[in-house]
Amino acid sequence: MDQFTLNLLFVGASFALYIGIAVWARAGSTSEFYAAGRGVHPVTNGMATAADWMSAASFISMAGLIAFTGYDNSSFLMGWTGGYVLLALLLAPYLRKFGKFTVSEFIGDRFYSKTARLVAVICLLVASITYVIGQMQGVGIAFGRFLEIDATLGLLIGACVVFAYAVFGGMKGVTYTQVAQYCVLIMAYTIPAIFISLQLTGNPIPALGLFGDHVASGEPLLAKLDQIVTDLGFAEYTAAHGSTINMVLFTLSLMIGTAGLPHVIMRFFTVPRVSDARWSAGWSLVFIALLYLTAPAVGAMARLNISELMWPNGTGGEAVSVEQIETAPEYAWMATWQQTGLLGWEDKNGDGKIQYYNDANADMQAKAEAAGWEGNELTNFNRDILVLANPEIASLPGWVIGLVAAGGLAAALSTAAGLLLAISSAVSHDLLKGQLTPNMSEKSELLAARISMAAAIVVAVILGLNPPGFAAQTVALAFGLAAASIFPALMMGIFSTRINNTGAVTGMLAGLVVTLVYIFLHKGWFFIPDTNSFTDANPLLGPVKSTSFGAIGALVNFIVAYVVSGMTKDTPQEIKDLVQSVRVPRGAGAAVEGH
């Protein structure tokens, strides 16, 4: 059976499973659509949350960014896992006890203001739409490769699949679909990693193999990798090169952004009791750790494999020939990926070889001139293809490649569905029923939720055609927006009675606007190319990149909220009593039920 047929078999079987589950568990009421009827077991919810969380950014893009940057990008791992600790300890149980369906509903009730709820909806939509751009980007890349079509057409097909199961299933259908997707994606991520770790280090556990010896050379794997990449003019893989301030701010932005993401927080509204919300967060961290402990090994081993494929005779010998790339079986993956437009090479000096090196390095430029090279000839290697191409690069069996195809799509589609659900809930439940038409029937609200989700898919496709960076970078921007706008409002809403409605509204707006403006100054206004005034290589505020600004935006939010609250009318006593009742342990076993 050829590889294309195998890919179709794995992807088709997984899609049939997802859509079948969605039909079986379709939502028949608003409670089932928004919160799965509040009957999800903590372990099941933990697995669904992990799938909701481990998006295209985690599965497809993160290891690629680590592979081509090294130690500096370990902040993705630290920030994203650390955020779950914050969520479990500081937010999840209290929000579940409050007993609402959405984040915006909590903010509206806690700050006794329809305006606060509306501003929360705006913040949620901005963060979620930015996040979903990265997911649709991942969907397009995965479909493009495994259906051997252009990435744009792949994105359109993926959007139709999301529409088929998310619009009808709601939170109930999405929850059980995500459990299946977690099982698919974790097998798809770890099985190839085990194969590659055995090939390179002889150790079946990738996380341990990363710190083991390279079988072929007998050297420590990371020392071997450092030697190869520095020989080619790239930065040392295991050393820190970026700004420490930026790294700390970036990690903090990812942490508090994680704890403020609406589509993740919504999952904790689906469990029966408050204690279950805390257990759900704990189980989520366990399931996420299975992938995140493997990701650094995947990145390092893939970078080593690629470098050795491009320099099969060692960095002191001849580069790979064009003839080898076109005829040798171990290079067949390059031709396949070239069709997607995400991989490219060019024999610039006409010597029949493809020299891959860092042509921006002054020392390498001198070496290149002496050797007659005319620049790096691996002209395009999109970081987002690395994990999907990894089994082919390592010449693994065809069934493993098919499994990775299904896993990559599961990762992108599961998070896209969660985000679209958060967006539709914000529009139908918080905006329409909560603000504009409070007397609308449950049937009308359910229809509005499905229509708004369909509209969100269209917006996501349009923006996904022109993303502002690699999938993980685009997602990092969304985390910054959530960190600057939603997280401070939730924290102050739970732990401070001093913050009133005026303070909360001005704080959220200040955090959102200052962060959004900083992002647009670096990524282009509304992500339109060539409208930016700065770049992340040369940021406006010293070392602070646009992906790291969320922590500063959150600080602005806190300061503005406290200052304005101190200058305006005090919080009513009944709201103070409400905050106190949510925080005290008394009665914590049974959550408040509310609509």
Side-chain angles (χ1 to χ4, degrees), residues 437-496:
T437 53
N439 296 321
M440 73 188 305
S441 67
E442 184 172 301
K443 185 177 179 181
S444 299
E445 186 182 351
L446 201 56
L447 177 63
R450 287 174 168 145
I451 292 172
S452 59
M453 188 182 282
I457 291 173
V458 173
V459 173
V461 168
I462 294 169
L463 293 173
L465 294 172
N466 184 36
F470 301 118
Q473 292 171 327
T474 306
V475 165
L477 297 176
F479 278 75
L481 291 166
S485 58
I486 298 170
F487 175 79
L490 294 176
M491 283 293 293
M492 291 183 290
I494 293 168
F495 294 103
S496 175

Side-chain angles (χ1 to χ4, degrees), residues 166-183:
V167 169
F168 299 106
M171 179 62 88
K172 186 179 177 185
V174 165
T175 294
Y176 295 105
T177 302
Q178 285 174 337
V179 171
Q181 287 169 328
Y182 176 79
C183 296

Side-chain angles (χ1 to χ4, degrees), residues 256-583:
I256 62 177
T258 297
L261 280 174
H263 76 289
V264 172
I265 294 172
M266 280 179 68
R267 294 235 50 93
F268 299 105
F269 299 146
T270 66
V271 293
R273 295 179 299 276
V274 171
S275 59
D276 294 335
R278 187 176 276 113
W279 275 108
S280 287
W283 278 111
S284 300
L285 202 51
V286 170
F287 292 127
I288 289 166
L290 293 176
L291 188 146
Y292 276 26
L293 289 172
T294 307
V298 170
M301 292 174 186
R303 180 72 180 274
L304 182 60
N305 276 336
I306 291 164
S307 301
E308 289 187 330
L309 276 174
M310 299 310 294
W311 294 92
N313 305 302
T315 52
E318 292 287 331
V320 64
S321 67
V322 175
E323 184 182 0
Q324 276 179 283
I325 290 175
E326 292 175 348
T327 59
E330 63 266 31
Y331 292 91
W333 64 276
M334 293 183 69
T336 312
W337 275 103
Q338 189 182 32
Q339 294 176 25
T340 67
L342 301 170
L343 180 70
W345 60 92
E346 178 190 354
D347 184 12
K348 296 176 181 177
N349 61 353
D351 66 351
K353 311 285 184 186
I354 300 297
Q355 284 90 21
Y356 163 61
Y357 66 100
N358 182 9
D359 52 12
N361 183 306
D363 294 336
M364 287 303 294
Q365 286 174 352
K367 181 179 176 180
E369 285 177 20
W373 302 346
E374 295 183 6
N376 175 33
E377 295 180 337
L378 187 63
T379 53
N380 181 20
F381 195 113
N382 189 295
R383 308 295 187 256
D384 289 343
I385 75 171
L386 185 97
V387 169
L388 299 177
N390 216 11
E392 299 168 275
I393 295 169
S395 301
L396 298 185
W399 68 268
V400 179
I401 297 169
L403 181 61
V404 170
L409 290 167
L413 293 173
S414 62
T415 304
L419 286 163
L420 292 166
L421 193 59
I423 291 168
S424 71
S425 300
V427 172
S428 60
H429 189 65
D430 294 312
L431 187 60
L432 295 179
K433 187 173 180 65
Q435 302 273 349
L436 303 178
T437 53
N439 296 321
M440 73 188 305
S441 67
E442 184 172 301
K443 185 177 179 181
S444 299
E445 186 182 351
L446 201 56
L447 177 63
R450 287 174 168 145
I451 292 172
S452 59
M453 188 182 282
I457 291 173
V458 173
V459 173
V461 168
I462 294 169
L463 293 173
L465 294 172
N466 184 36
F470 301 118
Q473 292 171 327
T474 306
V475 165
L477 297 176
F479 278 75
L481 291 166
S485 58
I486 298 170
F487 175 79
L490 294 176
M491 283 293 293
M492 291 183 290
I494 293 168
F495 294 103
S496 175
T497 57
R498 287 184 57 193
I499 306 303
N500 61 22
N501 55 357
T502 312
V505 168
T506 52
M508 282 190 290
L509 287 174
L512 177 68
V513 170
V514 73
T515 305
L516 204 53
V517 168
Y518 197 82
I519 288 172
F520 285 158
L521 285 171
H522 291 77
K523 297 295 184 182
W525 291 92
F526 302 100
F527 302 134
I528 297 169
D530 302 322
T531 59
N532 57 302
S533 305
F534 304 91
T535 66
D536 281 334
N538 185 26
L540 169 61
L541 295 179
V544 183
K545 297 182 180 180
S546 59
T547 49
S548 309
F549 193 79
I552 297 174
L555 182 61
V556 169
N557 187 332
F558 277 117
I559 291 171
V560 169
Y562 271 96
V563 169
V564 172
S565 294
M567 297 167 59
T568 50
K569 194 175 179 181
D570 192 22
T571 306
Q573 186 59 46
E574 63 267 23
I575 299 298
K576 292 181 179 181
D577 294 340
L578 175 65
V579 173
Q580 187 66 15
S581 71
V582 168
R583 280 168 42 195

Side-chain angles (χ1 to χ4, degrees), residues 5 54 91 93 117 156 180 209 217 337 382 386 393 405 484 493:
T5 307
M54 289 191 296
L91 296 182
R117 187 172 179 174
L156 296 173
S217 65
W337 275 103
N382 189 295
L386 185 97
I393 295 169

Side-chain angles (χ1 to χ4, degrees), residues 107-114 500-501 569-572 575:
I107 290 174
D109 285 7
R110 159 58 186 90
F111 295 110
Y112 52 98
S113 167
K114 285 190 173 184
N500 61 22
N501 55 357
K569 194 175 179 181
D570 192 22
T571 306
I575 299 298

Side-chain angles (χ1 to χ4, degrees), residues 61-71 73-74 76-77 237 295-296 299-300:
S61 191
M62 181 176 62
L65 289 174
I66 292 172
F68 284 91
T69 304
Y71 174 84
N73 273 346
S74 61
F76 278 101
L77 299 169
Y237 191 85

